[in-house]
Amino acid sequence: MTATGQDGPIRVMLVDDHEVVRRGLVTAIDASEALSVIGEASSVAEAARRLPAIRPQVLVVDLQLPDGTGIDVIRTARELDPEQRMLVLTSFDDDAAQRESRAAGAAGLILKSARSQEIVEAIRAVHEGREVWPSAHVEDGPDLSESDQRIVELIGDGHSNREIAEALGIAEKTVKNRVTVILQALGMQRRTQVAALVAARRRAGWKPQ
């Protein structure tokens, strides 16, 4: 199957209550020969009404809607079609948003602040069966030492600083200091984000060097 599918451009539906945002997305998506916006909605209720007739290949939905959340739309879409591919669009990236989106059945999450081309590529990736999460955008990451990479992997396994220190035979204070350096290098604030990165890498088949 080509990027545009067997029957023309990938059919996309947008659910966002901000008219300006939707217009910008429509312009960006329709500018790509591989994609076409076939429907829009500005609320959970409107999306529920329109989804059965539109049946998009990829549903792009905002998390914050006037009469509910994007999660409500995702659940409705999943009931209509268990194979529906969905991408969450949001202004705020946090762990809770990712967890809720994953649990509801979304294949990815992308920030509204992303460049138009990034959003287009995310839609195409979701259509092709891949997952797109913020932490997954960093595949190889910055150059970390072998020991720091090992710490990253152990964080991904859910180990505490004390457990990591015991596994590596170093002081717990050293681990704490290295975690701070790793977070700065990865542009992250919390170790839970590092764990999410490791999970995304593993799903993608990435292995530490």
Side-chain angles (χ1 to χ4, degrees):
M1 179 180 290
T2 64
T4 57
Q6 296 179 338
D7 54 353
I10 299 166
R11 302 186 304 280
V12 180
M13 178 176 176
L14 303 175
V15 183
D16 193 302
D17 63 319
H18 293 93
E19 178 71 18
V20 174
V21 172
R22 288 207 314 277
R23 293 281 65 77
L25 288 171
V26 169
T27 299
I29 293 171
D30 283 346
S32 170
E33 294 183 357
L35 309 175
S36 178
V37 176
I38 61 168
E40 301 176 43
S42 60
S43 67
V44 174
E46 185 178 8
R49 286 196 305 269
R50 303 202 67 192
L51 269 169
I54 293 176
R55 293 300 178 102
Q57 290 172 292
V58 178
L59 175 65
V60 180
V61 57
D62 187 10
L63 277 184
Q64 302 300 322
L65 295 168
D67 58 344
T69 71
I71 301 301
D72 298 323
V73 177
I74 289 172
R75 288 171 178 158
T76 296
R78 184 49 57 90
E79 289 177 1
L80 288 169
D81 179 3
E83 301 302 317
Q84 175 71 64
R85 303 297 295 174
M86 295 168 287
L87 176 68
V88 168
L89 187 69
T90 182
S91 299
F92 306 100
D93 170 30
D94 57 42
D95 296 335
Q98 289 201 43
R99 284 196 302 270
E100 290 180 14
S101 300
R102 286 177 187 272
L109 178 150
I110 191 164
L111 296 177
K112 290 184 178 181
S113 59
R115 296 192 304 270
S116 296
Q117 187 57 36
E118 290 178 316
I119 294 175
V120 166
E121 290 302 322
I123 293 172
R124 294 181 66 174
V126 166
H127 175 256
E128 291 167 3
R130 290 179 282 145
E131 293 196 355
V132 182
W133 302 97
S135 56
H137 292 168
V138 183
E139 294 186 357
D140 293 326
D143 292 328
L144 296 176
S145 67
E146 183 175 345
S147 60
D148 282 352
Q149 287 283 12
R150 179 59 178 152
I151 290 173
V152 167
E153 291 297 307
L154 289 170
I155 290 175
D157 290 333
H159 294 296
S160 66
N161 285 351
R162 176 177 296 181
E163 292 171 334
I164 293 173
E166 292 175 352
L168 299 181
I170 58 179
E172 184 177 351
K173 182 176 180 180
T174 299
V175 173
K176 183 178 180 180
N177 291 338
R178 294 316 304 168
V179 169
T180 298
V181 171
I182 290 168
L183 288 173
Q184 292 176 341
L186 294 175
M188 298 176 177
Q189 298 179 330
R190 299 180 295 276
R191 62 192 294 135
T192 52
Q193 293 174 294
V194 178
L197 170 61
V198 173
R201 284 174 167 177
R202 290 172 177 172
R203 284 196 303 274
W206 183 91
K207 297 183 183 298
Q209 301 299 317

